[in-house]
């Protein structure tokens, strides 16, 4: 093999390995950010997140923690109510469409709605641990 061919193969291999490593790192970063965002729906995680951002001294911490806990509880409740309302509206949509569409069309619509609602939820069952709890 010529040295030029060897050089091209080595550079191409290095480039491909670098791209794969970069994609894996980016995937992990995005996954962690999504996980952190989902955690904010929980009262305690929300409180800790704000406290970490504010970096209050101990006296300030004792003063603002009750407000943050209260606000976090309200936000958690709003999230649960919103999710429940959204599920109800989606069911009403399906019920209305079912009167006008045949079975294959309804299956297609349900697949699309499932993708819109949960992204890849069904495909990640065993990949990255158990799915998040449903409210």
């Amino acid at each position: 093999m010529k040295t030029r061919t060897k050089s091209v193969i080595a550079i191409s291999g290095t480039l491909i390995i670098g791209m794969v490593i970069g994609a894996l790192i980016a995937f992990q970063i995005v996954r962690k950010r999504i996980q952190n965002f989902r955690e904010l729906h929980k009262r305690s995680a929300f409180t800790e997140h704000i406290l970490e951002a504010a970096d209050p001294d101990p006296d300030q911490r004792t003063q603002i923690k009750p407000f943050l806990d209260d606000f976090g509880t309200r936000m958690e409740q709003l999230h649960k109510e919103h999710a429940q309302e959204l599920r109800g509206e989606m069911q009403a949509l399906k019920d209305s469409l079912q009167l006008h569409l045949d079975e294959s069309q309804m299956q297609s619509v349900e697949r699309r709605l499932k993708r819109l609602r949960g992204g890849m939820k069904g495909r990640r069952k065993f990949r990255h641990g158990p799915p998040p709890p449903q409210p």
Side-chain angles (χ1 to χ4, degrees):
M1 223 183 241
K2 294 183 180 179
T3 57
R4 180 181 167 132
T5 306
K6 289 180 184 179
S7 298
V8 168
I9 291 172
I11 290 173
S12 298
T14 304
L15 179 65
I16 290 171
I17 290 171
M19 289 171 55
V20 168
I21 291 172
L24 290 173
I25 291 171
F27 173 74
Q28 289 298 327
I29 290 171
V30 169
R31 188 170 149 247
K32 183 69 174 168
R33 285 186 180 175
I34 290 171
Q35 182 181 8
N36 288 342
F37 182 73
R38 285 184 178 159
E39 295 269 325
L40 289 179
H41 295 304
K42 299 175 185 168
R43 178 183 54 86
S44 60
F46 176 82
T47 300
E48 290 305 315
H49 183 75
I50 299 298
L51 286 173
E52 181 183 319
D55 193 25
D57 61 41
D59 188 40
Q60 290 174 318
R61 186 181 188 91
T62 58
Q63 291 175 354
I64 65 173
K65 190 166 181 347
F67 301 133
L68 290 174
D69 284 339
D70 183 47
F71 186 79
T73 301
R74 289 193 319 248
M75 292 301 289
E76 184 178 30
Q77 185 61 36
L78 280 172
H79 176 71
K80 286 179 182 178
E81 289 172 5
H82 173 71
Q84 186 176 14
E85 184 179 341
L86 185 59
R87 279 192 298 273
E89 290 295 321
M90 293 301 280
Q91 188 57 50
L93 172 65
K94 288 180 196 178
D95 292 344
S96 297
L97 287 174
Q98 202 163 25
L99 298 173
H100 304 286
L101 301 177
D102 64 29
E103 185 65 30
S104 66
Q105 290 172 317
M106 274 307 295
Q107 287 176 352
S108 178
V109 167
E110 286 185 14
R111 279 193 305 270
R112 178 67 55 94
L113 290 175
K114 191 174 189 178
R115 249 188 284 147
L116 289 174
R117 182 189 60 207
M120 305 287 276
K121 276 186 181 176
R123 295 184 184 177
R124 66 183 172 115
K125 269 187 180 171
F126 300 106
R127 257 190 179 160
H128 308 294
Q134 296 295 322

